[in-house]
Amino acid sequence: MDKPKLVIFILALWLPIYTSARADINENDLQRIGLEYWHSQLAEIISVTSNEIKISQGIMTLGHDSYQLWSVFDAMANYESELYYNPSQYNSFSSDYGDKLYNLPVESVSSERCDLDKAVIRYDKSDGIYAWSKTLDQLNDELLNSQGLKYTSSKTFGHESNPNEQASYTVKVDVDYEQFTVFYAKPYGSDIHNTQLQGYTPWYSPCVLPYVFSQKQDEKESRLNQTTALVVANKGKQCVSILNPAQVHHDCTTLSVPAIIAVITVPLVDLYAQIP
């Protein structure tokens, strides 16, 4: 069983500073317009809302073992940005779950459907190793057997009726990946049956958080998000182009190794605010 390792992300910003021949087209606005368009198109491609998807700020490699993969799922964030994924490990789902578990009065939730004593024992037995429901090998298998992604889309902003007008510009996205998958996983609980997780201890009890989130939560808590899926691509490239009569700019990211290009996140209260 491989040992926990520090997560190392290789980040390289893929949206450059645009140079514009026109003073009335703000460079920062052009960058944001290009990113927002790619963000909206990716949400449409994988059939989620734009609020649920966060773009990786560069090339985010998968790492070499399942521990690194699970740490991405385990990381939680209070998303100030509507667009970018925050890889910070400051808040983690496993530790937040443990805090909630230890602070629940036994009599408040224990029943035939949810035994709090067993939930605490299960969590303690994990000995600080918090596996999730799928492994890195399973992600690589899904990626290898995926159908890939070829996608082209564009939108003209400004004077759509007259594309030759100087103030108009077109944003175009071209994507061509040989391998592309959306990889879902959840905390390794007593309800998970996966032979690849032999040797790891289930630490999560699905009945606990629905009770916790049926109670009143503070505002900070309500903004925390859980990562539910990773958008992973390999062998290909994506290009975002900005075109207008005064400039043509192309920016492409090429992948030769598997990388996380975005994550799907959902507020904890949306996932668990149900009475068990």
Side-chain angles (χ1 to χ4, degrees), residues 20-21 28 35 46 52 79-80 89 91 96-97 104 118 128 140 163 190 197 205 214 224 229 237 241 248 270 274 276:
S20 173
N28 291 331
L35 179 61
I46 62 178
E52 291 176 311
Y79 280 101
E80 300 295 337
Q89 303 290 312
N91 292 306
D96 186 72
Y97 168 79
L104 274 178
K118 288 183 178 179
N140 286 325
S190 54
L197 292 174
S205 298
S214 68
L224 286 174
K237 67 179 181 180
S241 304
V248 176
D270 292 348
Q274 302 176 31

Side-chain angles (χ1 to χ4, degrees), residues 185-202:
K186 57 185 179 178
Y188 184 24
S190 54
D191 59 329
I192 302 297
H193 303 284
N194 182 352
T195 57
Q196 291 204 24
L197 292 174
Q198 290 181 0
Y200 298 98
T201 302

Side-chain angles (χ1 to χ4, degrees), residues 138-149 177-182 232-235:
Q138 288 175 302
L139 171 52
N140 286 325
D141 286 343
E142 286 191 21
L143 196 59
L144 184 63
N145 295 313
S146 66
Q147 296 182 350
L149 175 67
Y177 286 123
E178 185 177 325
Q179 299 174 350
F180 179 88
T181 192
V182 182
V232 183
N234 188 23
K235 297 183 179 179

Side-chain angles (χ1 to χ4, degrees), residues 15 30 45 64 67 77 111 118 120 122 136 140 144 154 157 173-174 181 189 196 201 204-205 227 239-240:
L15 281 177
L30 281 176
I45 290 167
H64 302 291
Y67 289 107
S111 66
K118 288 183 178 179
V120 171
R122 184 177 292 120
L136 180 60
N140 286 325
L144 184 63
S154 64
F157 296 84
V173 170
D174 291 291
T181 192
Q196 291 204 24
T201 302
Y204 175 72
S205 298
T227 298
C239 294
V240 178

